[in-house]
Amino acid sequence: MTATQSPVTVHQFTMRFSSTPRGARLARRMCEHCLDAWGVPYDSEAHDALTLMAAELCANAVRHGHVAGRDFRLGLTATPATRTVRIEVTDTRGESLPRLPATATDDGEGGRGLLLVAALADRWGCTPRPDGPGKTVWAEHTVDTLDMVARSGPSTASS
């Protein structure tokens, strides 16, 4: 690395939450905080879109990926070089894979969450969980603003 090059900073956050509605709400709040700390300010379009995607993926992990006594994990990665934020939600039910419904239902049974994620994300998908049974549902979104150095809050730097 030369004197004129700065290190590549990648902001990361990972935490396990109880597989309950309260756990999903806490995960959404942590996502909101991290995004703001990483330069995606509250009340911006990107912040609102990313928070909504995280909330929907966490709610799906609680509703469809719940296994008694098992938590779900939220992972966030913000890469300023590509201006991309990646959301990963991992649960322990590998047999229950996400799929887009043909239409959203209005019967209170849901069906709109993945449609919202698909509409807001630049890319999204599902992969098997690498460290045990289950799956990781992920979504990526490109943002206009993303500070090179976190102002505050949870973060790790990688080169």
Side-chain angles (χ1 to χ4, degrees), residues 52-113:
L52 178 58
M53 286 188 284
E56 292 297 340
L57 294 178
C58 291
N60 283 351
V62 169
R63 183 176 190 154
H64 304 291
H66 176 74
V67 173
R70 301 287 175 102
D71 297 337
F72 72 91
R73 182 175 60 223
L74 169 67
L76 303 171
T77 304
T79 308
T82 60
R83 300 210 178 279
T84 301
V85 176
R86 182 179 175 101
I87 303 163
E88 296 181 342
V89 177
T90 303
D91 64 48
T92 54
R93 280 195 65 196
E95 76 280 2
S96 178
L97 299 176
R99 61 179 176 78
L100 284 176
T103 60
T105 61
D106 289 322
D107 60 3
E109 293 299 313
R112 292 178 287 274

Side-chain angles (χ1 to χ4, degrees), residues 130-147:
D131 57 350
K135 65 187 172 298
T136 298
V137 183
W138 58 270
E140 293 180 343
H141 187 70
T142 304
V143 297
D144 293 331
T145 60
L146 193 57
D147 287 347

Side-chain angles (χ1 to χ4, degrees), residues 17 30 35 55 113 122 151:
F17 295 90
M30 288 303 300
L35 291 171
D122 294 320
R151 296 189 303 266

